[in-house]
C-alpha cells in the first residue's frame, strides 16, 4: 500500500514511502530557516530496539547520523509549548553541538524507555516536560559526547583529554585535526556507553538560557507541518461518530438506511459511544451522519441543567466539607474580628477547544495496530487500544503527531478517545486505515470539561488591620476519582480540586480549606492549569478585597503576608517594578494584580483595564513576571506567558458550557463558545526572574493569574466584584 | 466540477454544495488549509479566491468554479515572503494549526494596505482565531513585514 501525502511532487521535504517497509513519512522539525528534512517514524522505532547500523545511537534519545545531523527523540508531545526545541537544547548543550545540526522527532510509545518521571508512564502534562527531562536529556547529550570524543581519540591516537568539542566540531589542537560528529558516528557506536558522565556547570552553558530558534517554526509558517488531520492513505476512510445529545444517554435504535445510501458513505456501525459513519471523505461522512435517524435512551443520562447543578453545589457549600488544610482556629469564624467578608463564587464547565479537534488515524491488520495521533498519555492509550483490539500493547504502535493544541484535552486518563478509535477499527469488517475525526460541534459538546465549581470563602480582619481568618469551602467534581490517577487522592481529598487553595502562601493565622465532591454526570478533565483555574481566581480576588478592608495596598499588603515565600514575593516585586506600580496610565482605567504558584513556577501579573462602550472589560496591557528556575529558552517562556494570558483571558471573559433543561449542551461552535480574538488581546510584557533552581514548567503557570488580575482591576474601576464567571454572558 | 487551484485545473467528482475546503483537503490533498470550525468562525480554512481571502469551509464548490483559488502551498510574492520572514524571525507559531490561515489573511492585508495601523491589523485578523493566543506576535510580525516591504 502506498502512502499519499501532500502534493509530494512539489515538496522535497516529503518523500513517499511504502507503508509496510518504511512507514509513514512525517514532516520533521527543522532548525535552520529554510532547510528541510524528513523523518521516517518506522525507522526511528526500530532503531530503538537494535542500535542502528548506520549512525550512532548511544541511548534512547540521541541519534547521530553520518551526515552530522543529531536527532533527538522527544518523549513529550509537541503542541506548541516547545518541548521539541527545549529538550533538543538540553542535548545540544552537553553535546556541544551546533544548533543548526539539531533535529527533533517524536519518540514512539514505549513506557520503559520514555516514561515521564512525574507519572511513571509515558505522557505529557502538569507542565513537566522540561522539569522531568532536564537531567535525563543533558546526560543523554553528555554520554554521546564522551563516546564521540573517545572514538576520535582512538582514531587520532591522541589522549582524550587533549580533545575539544565546539559547535559540532571535534578538534585536536596539537595535531591540527578536526572533524564533525558524523565521521565518528560508526566508531562511537561500537563503544560501551560510560556509566557516569560529568555535566556542565550553569556558568558554562552556551545554548541553555539563549533564544535558539524553535525547531518547528518553519514548517508551521508555510503550511507544511503535518497534523493528524492531514494524513491520507490509499484506501483510507474518514469516520465521524454520532454521539448522544446528553451525557450518559445511549442508543435505543437507529435507522441508517438514508445514511447508507448517501453518496460516498461506505459503512455505518454502532459502537459503544454512538454510531460510526465511514465514508470516502469528510464531507460524505458528515452528510451520512446527518441522515441518521437515531432515538436515544436517556434513562441514565444527566438531564439536569447547569443552573440546577450549580444550585445543588451552592447548597453544599454552606457547610464545611472534608478537611484539606487547617491551622489556628478557623471554626471560630469571625467572632472578635473587626470586619468580615463572605463571598460565593461559581466557575462554569469549560471546553478546551484546541484548534485541531480530536482525530486519529488507525490501522489494525494482521494482529498489529498502527496509529497516528496527538497522543498525550501514550502508555494508557496504547494499553486501551490493545485491549479493545485483542492484541498486546507492544503490538500497538503510536506515532505521536504534532497536535493543534491540547490544553489538557488530549491527556486522557482512561483513554476514551483512543478507545473510540479502536472501536471504530474493530467495528469495520475490512482492514484498512481509518481516520476518525471530531467536528468542532463534537468537540464543544463532547464533554471532558473543566469541572464546574462553587467556592465559598469567609474571611476577616482584626482590629489592628491584620487578615486573621480564611475559611474556604470548595465544591466540585473530582478529576482523579475513578481515573488512572485515583491513587493521588489522599484522605478523600483530590489534590487537583484544592491545589492553589490549600497551599495558600499568605501567613493568615486561622486558616481552613475544605472540599465536597460535587456529583454530576458530566465527563470532566483537567484544563490548562487544572485546579488553579478556579483556586487562583477565588483566592486572589478574595485576598484583594480583604486587604482593601484592612486598608492595605494590593502589592504591599500581599508582600507583608508572604514572609515565608520569597519566590512569590520575588515575582510580585518584579511585576510591580515592570509595570511601574498599580496606578493606571490614564484616567478611565484601573490596574489589578495577582500572584500564583502552579506546577512549581511562580507568576505575577498586573492587568490594566477599561470599560468598552457595551460595558464589557477591555484589557489594554498585561505585565508578567515569572520565576521558573533556570530559563532554558527565554523566548519560549515569554511565548508561553503571552499565550497563557490570552487563553485564560478569553475563558474568563466569555467561556462557559451550559446544559439546558434536559441536559443538552447549549454551545456548539465558536459563535457561542467565544474565543479571544486578536483585537481583544492586550499587549504583554514579560520579565523572567533570574534563578539557579532547576527548571520548572511554563505551559500552564501563565494562565491562573490573569483572570483574578483582571477582576481586581475591574473591581477597582467599577466597584463590581465579579464572582460568577465568565464576565460576559453570551446568550 | 472543475476548479482551478494554484494555477492548475482539477476535475472534482463531488456534489456541487460540497465546501471547497474538503475538495482542497480530501481530494487534492493540499493540507496546509485547515478545518477548525466549518462555520466561518475561525479562519483556519482561509484561501484566496481571485486574490481575496475567503473561508473555504463555507464556499460551496459551485461558487468556486471559474475562479482562481490559491492555497498556502501556491502562495508567493513580496508580501507573502515578507510575512513568512517576519513570522520566522520571532517564532510566531505555537501549535501552528491556525497559522496557515493567519498567514493568508495577513498577506491579503499587506496587499491591500502596505502600511497598516494596529487597528487595521486587528480588524483584518479578527476573524482568525488562535487558541494558543499568539496574537501579540502576529501583530508584531505583521508590523515587521510591513516595515520590510516599505524599506
Ligand atoms: S474552518 Fe472555515 S472558518 Fe473555521
Ligand atoms: S498557534 Fe495554536 S491555534 Fe494558533
Amino acid at each position: 500500500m502506498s502512502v499519499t501525502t501532500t502534493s509530494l511532487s512539489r515538496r522535497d521535504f516529503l518523500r513517499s514511502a511504502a507503508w509496510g517497509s518504511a512507514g509513514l513519512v512525517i514532516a520533521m522539525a527543522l532548525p535552520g530557516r529554510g532547510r528541510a528534512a524528513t523523518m521516517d517514524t518506522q525507522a526511528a522505532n526500530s532503531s530503538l530496539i537494535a542500535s542502528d547500523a548506520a549512525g550512532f545511537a548511544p541511548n534512547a534519545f540521541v541519534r547521530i547520523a553520518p551526515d552530522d545531523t543529531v536527532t533527538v527523540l522527544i518523549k513529550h508531545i509537541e503542541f506548541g509549548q516547545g518541548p521539541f526545541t527545549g529538550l533538543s537544547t538540553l542535548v545540544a548543550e552537553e553535546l556541544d553541538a551546533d544548533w543548526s545540526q539539531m533535529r527533533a522527532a517524536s519518540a514512539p510509545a514505549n513506557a520503559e524507555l520514555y516514561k515521564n518521571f512525574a507519572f511513571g508512564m509515558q505522557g505529557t502534562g502538569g507542565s513537566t516536560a522540561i522539569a522531568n527531562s532536564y537531567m535525563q536529556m543533558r546526560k543523554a547529550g553528555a554520554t554521546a559526547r564522551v563516546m564521540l570524543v573517545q572514538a576520535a581519540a582512538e582514531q587520532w591516537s591522541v589522549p582524550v583529554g587533549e580533545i575539544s568539542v565546539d559547535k559540532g566540531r571535534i578538534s585536536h589542537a596539537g595535531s591540527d585535526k578536526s572533524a564533525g560528529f558524523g565521521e565518528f558516528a560508526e566508531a562511537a557506536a561500537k563503544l560501551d556507553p560510560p556509566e557516569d558522565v560529568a555535566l556542565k556547570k550553569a556558568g558554562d552553558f552556551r545554548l541553555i538560557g539563549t533564544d535558539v530558534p524553535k525547531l518547528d517554526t518553519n514548517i508551521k509558517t508555510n503550511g507544511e507541518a503535518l497534523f493528524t488531520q492531514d494524513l491520507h492513505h490509499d484506501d483510507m476512510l474518514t469516520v465521524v461518530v454520532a454521539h448522544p445529545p446528553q451525557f450518559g444517554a445511549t442508543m435505543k435504535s437507529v435507522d441508517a438506511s438514508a445514511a447508507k445510501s448517501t453518496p460516498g458513505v461506505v459503512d455505518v456501525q454502532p459502537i459503544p459511544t454512538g454510531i460510526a459513519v465511514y465514508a470516502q471523505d469528510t464531507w460524505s461522512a458528515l452528510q451520512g451522519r446527518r441522515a441518521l435517524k437515531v432515538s436515544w435512551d436517556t434513562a441514565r443520562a444527566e438531564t439536569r441543567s447547569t443552573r440546577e447543578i450549580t444550585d445543588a453545589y451552592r447548597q453544599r457549600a454552606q457547610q464545611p466539607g472534608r478537611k484539606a488544610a487547617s491551622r489556628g482556629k478557623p471554626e471560630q469564624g469571625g467572632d472578635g474580628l473587626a470586619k468580615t467578608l463572605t463571598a460565593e463564587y461559581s466557575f462554569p464547565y469549560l471546553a478546551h477547544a484546541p484548534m485541531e479537534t480530536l482525530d486519529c488515524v488507525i490501522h489494525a491488520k494482521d494482529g498489529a495496530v498502527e496509529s497516528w495521533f496527538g497522543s498525550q498519555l501514550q502508555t494508557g492509550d496504547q494499553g486501551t487500544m490493545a485491549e479493545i483490539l485483542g492484541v498486546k500493547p507492544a503490538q500497538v504502535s503510536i506515532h505521536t503527531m504534532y497536535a493543534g493544541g491540547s490544553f489538557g484535552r488530549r491527556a486522557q486518563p482512561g483513554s476514551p478517545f483512543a478507545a473510540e478509535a479502536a472501536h471504530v477499527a474493530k467495528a469495520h469488517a475490512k482492514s484498512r486505515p481509518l481516520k476518525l475525526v471530531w467536528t468542532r460541534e463534537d468537540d464543544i459538546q463532547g464533554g471532558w470539561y473543566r469541572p464546574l465549581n462553587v467556592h465559598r470563602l469567609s474571611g476577616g480582619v482584626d482590629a489592628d488591620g491584620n487578615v486573621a481568618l480564611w475559611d474556604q469551602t470548595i465544591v466540585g467534581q473530582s478529576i482523579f476519582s475513578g481515573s488512572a490517577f485515583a491513587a493521588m487522592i489522599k484522605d478523600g481529598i483530590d489534590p487537583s480540586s484544592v491545589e492553589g487553595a490549600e497551599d495558600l502562601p499568605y501567613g493568615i493565622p486561622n486558616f481552613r480549606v475544605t472540599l465536597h465532591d460535587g456529583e454530576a454526570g458530566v465527563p470532566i478533565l483537567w484544563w490548562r492549569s487544572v485546579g488553579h483555574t478556579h483556586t487562583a481566581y477565588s483566592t486572589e480576588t478574595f485576598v484583594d478585597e480583604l486587604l482593601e478592608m484592612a486598608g492595605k495596598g494590593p502589592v504591599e499588603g500581599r508582600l507583608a503576608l508572604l514572609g515565608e515565600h520569597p519566590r512569590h514575593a520575588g515575582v510580585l516585586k518584579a511585576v510591580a517594578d515592570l509595570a511601574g506600580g498599580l496606578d493606571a496610565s490614564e484616567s478611565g482605567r484601573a490596574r489589578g494584580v495577582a500572584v500564583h504558584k502552579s506546577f512549581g513556577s511562580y507568576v505575577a501579573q498586573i492587568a490594566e483595564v477599561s470599560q468598552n462602550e457595551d460595558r464589557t472589560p477591555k484589557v489594554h496591557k498585561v505585565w508578567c513576571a515569572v520565576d521558573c528556575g533556570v530559563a532554558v529558552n527565554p523566548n519560549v517562556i515569554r511565548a508561553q506567558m503571552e499565550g497563557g494570558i490570552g487563553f485564560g483571558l478569553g475563558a474568563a471573559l466569555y467561556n462557559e458550557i451550559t446544559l439546558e433543561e434536559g441536559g443538552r449542551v447549549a454551545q456548539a461552535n465558536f459563535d457561542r463558545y467565544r474565543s479571544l480574538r486578536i483585537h481583544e488581546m492586550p499587549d504583554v510584557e514579560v520579565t523572567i526572574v533570574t534563578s539557579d533552581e532547576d527548571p520548572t514548567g511554563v505551559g500552564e503557570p501563565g494562565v491562573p493569574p490573569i483572570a483574578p488580575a483582571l477582576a481586581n482591576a475591574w473591581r477597582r474601576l467599577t466597584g463590581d466584584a465579579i464572582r460568577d464567571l465568565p464576565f460576559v454572558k453570551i446568550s | 466540477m472543475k476548479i482551478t487551484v494554484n494555477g492548475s485545473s482539477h476535475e472534482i467528482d463531488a456534489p456541487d454544495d460540497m465546501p471547497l475546503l474538503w475538495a482542497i483537503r480530501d481530494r487534492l490533498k493540499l493540507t496546509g488549509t485547515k478545518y477548525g470550525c466549518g462555520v466561518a468562525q475561525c479562519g483556519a480554512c482561509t484561501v484566496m479566491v481571485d486574490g481575496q481571502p475567503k473561508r473555504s469551509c463555507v464556499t460551496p464548490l459551485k461558487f468556486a468554479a471559474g475562479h482562481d483559488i490559491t492555497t498556502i502551498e501556491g502562495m508567493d510574492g513580496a508580501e507573502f515572503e515578507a510575512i513568512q520572514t517576519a513570522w520566522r524571525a520571532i517564532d510566531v507559531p505555537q501549535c501552528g494549526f491556525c497559522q496557515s490561515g493567519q498567514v493568508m489573511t495577513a498577506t491579503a492585508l499587506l496587499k491591500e494596505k502596505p502600511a497598516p495601523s494596529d487597528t487595521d491589523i486587528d480588524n483584518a485578523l479578527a476573524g482568525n482565531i488562535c487558541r494558543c493566543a499568539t496574537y501579540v506576535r502576529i501583530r508584531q510580525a505583521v508590523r515587521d513585514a510591513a516595515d520590510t516591504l516599505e524599506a
Side-chain angles (χ1 to χ4, degrees), chain A residues 610-632:
Chain A
S610 72
Q611 203 167 18
N612 287 317
E613 267 171 27
D614 64 358
R615 306 190 147 273
T616 58
K618 162 93 187 158
V619 185
H620 297 270
K621 175 141 187 184
V622 176
W623 294 266
C624 174
V626 51
D627 174 356
C628 55
V630 172
V632 172

Side-chain angles (χ1 to χ4, degrees), chain A residues 34-185:
Chain A
R35 290 188 57 194
T38 61
M39 174 63 194
D40 183 319
T41 53
Q42 188 89 22
N45 287 354
S46 51
S47 69
L48 295 171
I49 296 147
S51 133
D52 231 341
F56 170 39
N59 48 55
F61 299 97
V62 181
R63 299 288 173 269
I64 298 176
D67 69 355
D68 283 349
T69 55
V70 178
T71 300
V72 181
L73 295 175
I74 309 290
K75 65 181 183 176
H76 297 288
I77 182 174
E78 174 67 81
F79 39 61
Q81 81 288 28
F84 271 35
T85 303
L87 271 54
S88 300
T89 304
L90 302 175
V91 169
E93 178 69 66
E94 297 290 348
L95 188 56
D96 281 313
D98 190 72
W99 189 241
S100 66
Q101 73 192 119
M102 299 306 293
R103 307 284 185 272
S106 284
N110 183 324
E112 206 175 306
L113 292 175
Y114 298 116
K115 65 175 164 286
N116 182 327
F117 297 116
F119 308 161
M121 55 187 177
Q122 192 173 354
T124 304
S127 298
T128 55
I130 287 280
N132 99 95
S133 294
Y134 188 57
M135 299 311 281
Q136 186 180 36
M137 301 309 285
R138 289 174 60 197
K139 276 186 193 145
T143 304
R145 185 187 188 280
V146 166
M147 294 167 79
L148 287 169
V149 166
Q150 195 187 332
E154 282 172 18
Q155 197 151 321
W156 292 340
S157 307
V158 299
V160 162
E162 289 180 10
I163 288 182
S164 65
V165 185
D166 185 38
K167 291 202 177 118
R169 298 295 296 177
I170 304 173
S171 313
H172 182 250
S175 60
D176 211 18
K177 286 201 167 83
S178 161
F181 293 167
E183 203 159 319
F184 299 109

Side-chain angles (χ1 to χ4, degrees), chain A residues 269-352:
Chain A
Q269 292 293 341
I271 59 169
T273 49
I275 300 108
V277 179
Y278 304 71
Q280 298 291 356
D281 54 40
T282 318
W283 181 246
S284 314
L286 292 173
Q287 298 297 101
R289 183 169 75 171
R290 211 163 289 151
L292 287 172
K293 292 187 192 72
V294 194
S295 69
W296 303 97
D297 179 353
T298 60
R300 287 202 312 247
E302 174 61 86
T303 54
R304 288 178 299 169
S305 65
T306 32
R307 185 182 300 265
E308 287 170 86
I309 296 171
T310 310
D311 287 347
Y313 284 14
R314 284 191 196 279
Q315 280 300 320
R316 298 192 64 190
Q318 305 310 310
Q319 299 299 324
R322 274 193 305 280
K323 200 168 65 190
S326 181
R327 62 176 178 261
K329 296 198 167 79
E331 60 286 345
Q332 286 181 359
D335 292 353
L337 296 179
K339 293 174 186 165
T340 58
L341 175 69
T342 295
E344 230 172 76
Y345 295 82
S346 69
F347 302 93
Y349 287 115
L350 292 175
H352 309 71

Side-chain angles (χ1 to χ4, degrees), chain B residues 34-45 55 57:
Chain B
K34 304 300 186 200
Y35 162 81
C37 72
V39 295
Q41 283 286 325
C42 77
C45 66
R55 305 288 184 250
C57 70

Side-chain angles (χ1 to χ4, degrees), chain A residues 4-7 10-11 33 78-80 212-214 216-218 220-223 225-227 229-230 232 238 281-284 286-287 351-357 403-405 407 435 438-441 528 635 638-640 642-644 646-647 655 669-671 673-679 681-684, chain B residues 6 13-15 17-19 22 25-44 57 72-75 80 83-85 87-100 102-103 118 121-139 143:
Chain A
T4 315
T5 42
T6 310
S7 49
R10 291 184 49 253
R11 298 207 181 171
R33 304 297 192 197
E78 174 67 81
F79 39 61
V212 297
K214 284 178 77 177
D216 51 348
T217 290
N218 220 20
K220 288 181 174 177
T221 297
N222 59 13
L226 285 183
F227 298 84
Q229 190 185 91
D230 303 329
H232 288 96
T238 300
D281 54 40
T282 318
W283 181 246
S284 314
L286 292 173
Q287 298 297 101
H352 309 71
M355 205 69 223
E356 180 188 20
T357 50
F407 316 120
K435 177 159 64 175
W438 278 33
T439 61
R440 181 59 61 197
E441 288 78 9
R528 197 175 184 179
N635 186 40
R638 282 192 298 272
Q640 285 305 301
E642 294 161 9
F647 188 79
N655 288 164
N669 210 311
F670 288 128
D671 49 353
Y673 196 76
R674 279 269 275 110
S675 186
L676 193 83
R677 292 175 183 274
I678 193 169
H679 61 284
M681 181 75 196
D683 284 337
V684 177
Chain B
N6 300 337
D13 175 24
D17 62 342
M18 177 161 106
W22 302 118
R25 288 184 51 81
D26 286 354
R27 300 296 178 87
L28 304 182
K29 316 255 194 295
L30 292 169
T31 55
T33 308
K34 304 300 186 200
Y35 162 81
C37 72
V39 295
Q41 283 286 325
C42 77
C57 70
I72 189 157
E73 290 88 350
M75 292 291 286
F80 182 68
I83 288 284
Q84 293 278 304
T85 307
W87 241 247
R88 288 169 183 160
I90 60 168
D91 281 321
V92 172
Q94 288 188 24
C95 81
F97 200 78
C98 72
Q99 297 294 341
S100 295
Q102 308 282 1
V103 161
D118 279 2
I121 296 173
D122 280 0
N123 287 343
L125 286 152
N128 287 80
I129 291 173
C130 175
R131 289 293 292 157
C132 302
T134 61
Y135 299 126
V136 172
R137 290 178 192 228
I138 291 174
R139 228 185 256 145
R143 283 187 210 123

